[in-house]
Amino acid sequence: MLSDVTTPQDLDDRLRESLAALAMPRHRTDPAQPVAEGAALTGAQLLELFDAQVTSRQLDLAGHWLRSFGEGYHTIGSAGHEGNAAVAAALRPTDPALLHYRSGAFYCVRAAQAAETTAGAATRPLLPVDDDPDTTPAVTGVSVDPEADGQPVDPAVDGDPVDPADGGPADRAIDAEPVDPADGGPVDSTADAEPVDPAAEDATAGSTPPGRTASIGIGSALPSDDEVGAGMPVAAVRRPVAGAYTEAARDVLRGMVASSQDPITGGRHKVFGRADLAVVPTTSTAASHLPRAVGMGLAVERLRRLDARRGSTQADGASRAPWAPDAIVVCSFGDAAVNHASATAAFNTAGWYDHTGLRIPVLFVCEDNGLGASLRSPQGWVATALRAKPGIRYFAADGADLVGAYGAAREAAAWVRRHRRPAVLHLSTVRLLGHTGADAESAYRSAEEIAVDLAADPVVATARRLVGAGLASGAELLDRYDEIGWQIRRVAEQVLDEPKLSSPAEVIAPLAPRRPVRVAQAVADAGARAAGPGAGARLEAFGGKPPELTGPLTLAQSINAALTDALLEHPQMAVFGEDVAAKGGMYGVTKGLRDRFGPARVFDTLLDETSVLGLGLGAGLAGMLPVPEIQYLAHLHSAEDQLRGEAATMGFFSQGALRNPMVLRVAGLAYQEGFGGHFHNDNSVAVLRDVPGLVIAVPARPDDAAAMLRTCLASAAVDGSVCVFLEPIALYHARDLYSDGDGEWLAGYAEPGAWAGGHVPVGRARVYGVGSAEDITIVTFGNGVRMALRAASALADEGIGSRVVDLRWLAPLPVADLIREAAATGRVLVVDETRRSGGVGEGVIAALVDAGYVGAARRVAAVDCFVPLGPAARQVLVSEEAITQGARTLLAR
C-alpha cells in the first residue's frame, strides 16, 4: 500500500518528526489578521499555502511509490521548491504561466485560484494581489535591487519611450490604471485592503456553494485558547482538504502514470499544464520555453494596444487566447538554465526591446537550488548573472520564507503589470530527493551537504512560521500532512486503473490535424473577400495596380504580392525578422510591406534566430498569425530546437487545446551565383524533415509560390499548423528557363476570383510533361525543377519523353502523386539537390519501396559535403549534365 512510501533520504520520516516536535502555541491568533506585522499574508492564507506545499510534497512521495513497481514514469519532483506556491499566489489565475518540472505547489495554488474564479469569486481570489504595493516591500526577507537595470521605478523619470508598434509614445495612462478582466474596468485597490475570511462568509450563506473550494478560511476551524486550555483533543480539529488541491493532484498523478485521461497531454508526457488554468505545457530542453515567453509578452502587449478582444474568434477562424488585457507572462526555470543559450537569447531579447521602448510584461522566475543535475552553480554566479541583465529588473527572496517570498513575488508581479516591463525574481530553494528518482546524490554530494538541504526544508519552515504565529500546533499540522497524504494516496490508487494510449492513431491524433476541405474553403473565402468587400483596400495597398495587372512576376515578386494579400486578409498577421522591414529583406522579398502596413505588423528584430522563432511561438500562442523570416537556412540550425521542441510539440502535448500557428519563411538551398559558401548555400533540410507534424513547402515557380503561401497561411489559421516555407534563393529573380530572354520562368499572378480554382493542397505535387512523357519519371523539387526541365528538353531532342514531378511539399511528401507518376513509366530518376545521406531522395525512394513499386529507380544527389565557395561548388552539387547522364543510365538498364 501507499502508506509504506519512503524516500531515499527518509524525507517523509524527517518531516513527520519535525512537525511532531513543534509545540502547541501559547496563544491563538486571529487567522483573518496578517501573519506578522506589515506582512501581506493573513494567517488563513498562509495555512492555505501550507496545504499546497504539503500536497506537492505528497505528490513527490506518491511518484516514487508508483515508480517502485513500474507504474510511474516520471520522478522529477518539486521537493525543496515548494516556495513557488507564493509566486502563484502573487499572480492572477489568468496570467499565462510556463512552468518548469519542479512546480507542484505553484500548480496547486493556480488550480485553487481558478476554482475560485470559476465559482464566480473573481473579485476575491484565493490570495489577494496588490497591483500597486509600496515601492519598499513591507515584509522581511525580501531583497529588491532598484538599480539593477539602471532604470528608476517611476515611469515619469524614464522620459517618453517610443513604442515601435504604433510609432508613438508609450501610453502611460494604461500602465497607471490596470484593467480588471472581471468587469472591464480599473482594478479596485480597496479590495486588497480588507482581506475577507471566506469561511465566515460561507458560514453566513449557510453552506459551501457548489464548485467552491471547501477549505477556504481554514483558520476559522482552529480551537480557541479556552478550548485548548480545556484539553480539547487536537485530533478532533478537522479542516476539509481543498477540492481544487485534490483535483490538481489528480492531474499530476495522471501525468505520472501516463493516463489517457491526463487533462493536458492525454498520456503523452508528464508536464504541468492546463489550458483553462492558463498554464502552458513546457516539455523540452532547459530554458527553451523562455524565448516563447518573451514572444507571448510582446504579443499580449501588442494586442492590448490594438484593443483586441480576448476570447473572441478572428475572421480567419483562429481562436484568441482568453488572457486579460493587463496580463503578464510568468516563466520559471532552474539556476543551471541561466547558462543555456535559449535563456541568454530570451533575457537579451527582453532587455533589447525594453531598451528600444517596447513593453514586454514578462516575469522570469529563477528557482535556484544550486544544482543542475549533478553540476553545481558557482557560489554567487546566478545572482551576479541575473543582476547584470540590462533592461530586466531584479528581485530576490528566500523560497523557504513563504511570507517573504510572497511579498517579493507580489512586488515583482505588480511592477511588471504596472510598467509592462520585464523583471526577474531570484528565488533561493533547495533540492530534496535528488534530480530524479534514480539519482544517487551520494556520488556527487557529501552527506553533510545533503543534511544542510534537509534542514532547510521549506515545508518545515512554513510549519514553524504557523506555530510561531499562533495559527496551529505541530500536532495539528502533522494531522493535516497525514490527511492530505491519505487523499493523495487514494487518488494515486484510482489513477492506476485508468486507460493508457493503446494505438498509434490515438498517440498521433493531436500531432498535426489536417482539414483540407476547410483549408480550401478558407482560401476560397479569402479570394471572395479580396474580390468583393476588400477590393478597395486591396487596390489601395497595391498603389492602384494589383499584381495580376502588372504582367508576369518573378518568384520574389510573387511572394511579395502574396504577403501583401495575406496581410490584408489576416488582421492579426505580422511579418518580422532580420532586415525584413526597413531594407525589405536581403533579396527584396518583403520590400514595401512596412510602408503599406506599418511597423506594428512588419518589423525588424534583433539578430538572433532563437529570438525570432521565440517571438513567433509566443505570438501564435497569443492569437496572432506570425510569419517570421530566417535570413538563411544555415542560420536556422542554431535555433532548430525552437521548432522541434517547442513549436511542433504544442498541439501534441496539449491535445490541441493550445497551438502556435506559424508560417516560417526561410531563404535557402544552393546555386547562388557570385555569393556562396556553406552559410549562404546551405542544402541541408534533414533536420526539418525529421520533425513530426511539420509542413515543409518548397515553391519553385512564381505561380506555385503564391498559391502555396496562401495554403500555408490558411492551414496555420484553420489547423494551427507550423509551416516552413523554404524559398530557393537562386530562383528568387530567375526569369528564363531554356534560353536567355525567353521569360519562361516568370508567371502571372492569379486574380482573387481564381484563388479557389488554383488552390494547392498540402501534399500535392505538380507534374510537367515533356515530349511523349512516357519513358521516364524525374522526381525533384526546388532548383531541381528548373534543371530537370532543361534536362528533359535535351532528352526530348533524343526522342525520350519525360514526366517531371515537382514534389512542392517535402513534408508531408505527395506520396499518392509520386506513386502514380512512377507507375506511369516504370523508371524513376530522383534528382535531389540536398545531400545523398539524409537527403530528401532517401525519403522518396523509401516511399516508393513501401508502396510496392517494382520498377527501376536511381538517384542523382549532392555530395555529402558542405557547399564550398565559388566554382568549387559545382563539384559537389547536382548539375543538368548529371541529370541527363543519370536518365540515360537508367534507360539503358
Side-chain angles (χ1 to χ4, degrees):
M1 293 295 293
L2 280 169
S3 58
D4 295 329
V5 166
T6 58
T7 68
Q9 298 85 9
D10 293 326
L11 185 62
D12 183 40
D13 288 342
R14 288 175 178 269
L15 179 54
R16 293 175 58 82
E17 290 171 3
S18 297
L19 294 179
L22 296 175
M24 179 73 72
R26 297 179 61 184
H27 301 286
R28 292 288 179 174
T29 58
D30 182 359
Q33 297 301 311
V35 70
E37 183 178 354
L41 284 175
T42 66
Q45 292 159 1
L46 186 59
L47 284 162
E48 287 282 1
L49 292 183
F50 176 77
D51 281 359
Q53 290 183 307
V54 169
T55 302
S56 179
R57 179 62 57 85
Q58 292 288 5
L59 279 170
D60 287 351
L61 298 179
H64 282 266
W65 175 78
L66 290 165
R67 184 72 183 92
S68 70
F69 52 90
E71 291 289 346
Y73 307 103
H74 199 279
T75 52
I76 298 180
S78 305
H81 284 247
E82 291 90 353
N84 56 37
V87 180
L91 298 165
R92 295 178 184 167
T94 52
D95 290 331
L98 295 82
L99 305 177
H100 70 148
Y101 284 127
R102 304 192 189 278
S103 301
F106 185 112
Y107 186 79
C108 289
V109 173
R110 173 58 64 91
Q113 290 173 321
E116 281 286 291
T117 302
T118 302
T123 57
R124 182 174 56 77
L126 176 70
L127 290 168
V129 178
D130 184 353
D131 286 306
D132 191 15
D134 294 335
T135 303
T136 303
V139 292
T140 58
V142 185
S143 171
V144 180
D145 183 357
E147 299 300 329
D149 57 1
Q151 300 165 119
V153 177
D154 186 355
V157 183
D158 292 344
D160 197 18
V162 174
D163 186 351
D166 57 19
D171 186 355
R172 288 199 182 83
I174 298 177
D175 294 340
E177 192 170 88
V179 177
D180 187 343
D183 59 12
V187 174
D188 183 3
S189 60
T190 61
D192 295 335
E194 292 184 20
V196 179
D197 185 349
E201 183 177 333
D202 291 345
T204 304
S207 62
T208 302
R212 291 284 297 278
T213 9
S215 69
I216 296 297
I218 49 181
S220 63
L222 295 175
S224 66
D225 290 339
D226 292 340
E227 289 171 329
V228 171
M232 177 181 179
V234 171
V237 179
R238 288 284 187 223
R239 298 183 285 108
V241 175
Y245 288 167
T246 303
E247 289 311 302
R250 190 183 303 276
D251 292 348
V252 177
L253 288 164
R254 281 172 165 163
M256 288 181 182
V257 301
S259 165
S260 61
Q261 296 181 30
D262 169 25
I264 186 64
T265 73
R268 294 171 183 83
H269 202 11
K270 158 62 182 71
V271 297
F272 291 108
R274 248 180 65 182
D276 60 332
L277 300 183
V279 177
V280 179
T282 61
T283 63
S284 46
T285 56
S288 64
H289 58 295
L290 269 63
R292 180 201 292 276
V294 175
M296 289 173 67
L298 178 67
V300 165
E301 186 63 10
R302 184 176 295 273
L303 293 173
R304 183 176 84 111
R305 292 183 178 277
L306 294 174
D307 293 325
R309 298 181 179 276
R310 295 294 189 261
S312 64
T313 302
Q314 298 178 38
D316 57 21
S319 298
R320 296 290 307 282
W323 298 326
D326 65 338
I328 67 173
V329 180
V330 61
C331 56
S332 61
F333 52 97
D335 53 287
V338 169
N339 307 303
H340 198 281
S342 295
T344 299
F347 294 138
N348 186 67
T349 303
W352 188 86
Y353 275 116
D354 187 79
H355 184 76
T356 67
L358 186 62
R359 300 315 192 203
I360 298 186
V362 176
L363 177 60
F364 299 102
V365 180
C366 178
E367 298 184 21
D368 183 359
N369 61 29
L371 290 162
S374 65
L375 305 176
R376 302 172 190 271
S377 293
Q379 186 68 33
W381 165 248
V382 176
T384 300
L386 294 178
R387 285 176 183 270
K389 302 300 181 187
I392 300 177
R393 191 170 175 83
Y394 179 87
F395 297 82
D398 179 3
D401 175 9
L402 210 56
V403 176
Y406 174 70
R410 179 168 167 261
E411 178 79 7
W415 191 89
V416 174
R417 197 181 309 280
R418 179 180 180 183
H419 298 287
R420 318 304 294 168
R421 297 169 69 182
V424 61
L425 172 62
H426 183 195
L427 194 68
S428 62
T429 65
V430 294
R431 191 183 73 187
L432 308 176
L433 300 180
H435 180 60
T436 65
D439 182 24
E441 283 196 288
S442 58
Y444 57 89
R445 300 184 75 193
S446 68
E448 292 76 14
E449 289 174 317
I450 296 173
V452 168
D453 276 3
L454 286 168
D457 188 331
V459 179
V460 175
T462 302
R464 291 195 185 103
R465 187 67 178 254
L466 288 167
V467 173
L471 293 163
S473 70
E476 289 165 359
L477 296 177
L478 177 57
D479 184 62
R480 188 63 168 173
Y481 177 79
D482 287 338
E483 174 73 9
I484 293 174
W486 179 84
Q487 294 275 15
I488 301 304
R489 293 160 187 164
R490 180 174 60 84
V491 174
E493 290 177 337
Q494 291 170 352
V495 301
L496 278 173
D497 296 326
E498 292 182 351
K500 309 290 193 295
L501 295 171
S502 57
S503 71
E506 280 187 284
V507 173
I508 68 174
L511 178 61
R514 298 270 183 267
R515 290 175 287 187
V517 175
R518 289 189 59 183
V519 170
Q521 186 60 53
V523 171
D525 291 345
R529 283 189 289 270
R538 184 170 185 267
L539 191 64
E540 181 181 356
F542 282 109
K545 195 171 184 180
E548 60 267 24
L549 300 181
T550 61
L553 307 179
T554 63
L555 181 72
Q557 291 169 333
S558 183
I559 294 172
N560 180 279
L563 286 171
T564 300
D565 273 322
L567 284 161
L568 289 167
E569 166 65 15
H570 302 280
Q572 298 304 330
M573 176 176 157
V575 176
F576 53 90
E578 303 165 9
D579 298 309
V580 304
K583 185 175 182 177
M586 292 295 291
Y587 298 92
V589 180
T590 57
K591 186 177 181 179
L593 294 183
R594 187 182 68 168
D595 294 337
R596 294 171 189 164
F597 297 98
R601 303 190 63 196
V602 182
F603 57 92
D604 289 322
T605 65
L606 68 174
L607 298 179
D608 176 59
E609 284 68 33
T610 296
S611 298
V612 171
L613 291 176
L615 293 176
L617 292 174
L621 196 59
M624 296 177 66
L625 182 56
V627 183
E629 177 189 290
I630 297 296
Q631 204 166 78
Y632 292 102
L633 176 59
H635 296 178
L636 174 66
H637 301 311
S638 64
E640 59 200 24
D641 185 58
Q642 291 295 304
L643 280 179
R644 183 197 68 83
E646 294 291 327
T649 62
M650 181 52 66
F652 184 68
F653 288 127
S654 69
Q655 301 184 87
L658 298 169
R659 61 187 200 168
N660 39 223
M662 178 194 298
V663 178
L664 173 64
R665 295 181 45 253
V666 182
L669 301 177
Y671 299 99
Q672 285 198 76
E673 294 294 334
F675 186 51
H678 70 289
F679 271 112
H680 303 101
N681 271 317
D682 186 19
N683 61 344
S684 175
V685 299
V687 69
L688 294 174
R689 294 190 63 248
D690 187 52
V691 179
L694 200 67
V695 173
I696 307 174
V698 183
R701 288 188 55 84
D703 47 348
D704 277 342
M708 291 169 69
L709 183 55
R710 283 192 284 269
T711 298
C712 286
L713 289 164
S715 182
V718 170
D719 293 329
S721 302
V722 180
C723 305
V724 175
F725 200 73
L726 183 57
E727 302 165 6
I729 296 174
L731 298 179
Y732 269 149
H733 305 298
R735 306 178 68 86
D736 306 321
L737 175 57
Y738 299 113
S739 60
D740 291 345
D742 66 11
E744 291 289 331
W745 204 252
L746 302 174
Y749 189 85
E751 62 180 0
W755 291 358
H759 172 58
V760 179
V762 173
R764 291 304 305 271
R766 179 172 181 171
V767 182
Y768 301 83
V770 181
S772 66
E774 295 179 351
D775 299 310
I776 189 171
T777 299
I778 303 175
V779 178
T780 187
F781 63 94
N783 293 291
V785 178
R786 189 162 176 257
M787 291 189 293
L789 287 172
R790 288 172 180 253
S793 178
L795 291 170
D797 292 340
E798 302 173 15
I800 300 170
S802 306
R803 294 171 181 248
V804 176
V805 179
D806 178 3
L807 294 171
R808 296 196 291 197
W809 307 91
L810 303 188
L813 281 171
V815 176
D817 296 335
L818 174 63
I819 300 305
R820 182 189 66 247
E821 298 304 321
T825 65
R827 300 181 183 89
V828 175
L829 178 66
V830 180
V831 177
D832 180 8
E833 66 173 292
T834 62
R835 299 168 192 163
R836 177 168 293 274
S837 298
V840 176
E842 289 182 341
V844 172
I845 295 296
L848 290 170
V849 173
D850 289 346
Y853 173 73
V854 294
R858 182 179 176 85
R859 276 194 301 160
V860 176
V863 175
D864 289 343
C865 177
F866 297 109
V867 180
L869 188 66
R874 300 171 192 157
Q875 306 303 315
V876 297
L877 296 175
V878 174
S879 65
E880 293 175 29
E881 293 76 13
I883 298 172
T884 305
Q885 185 58 43
R888 294 190 183 110
T889 302
L890 185 62
L891 289 165
R893 287 184 179 179

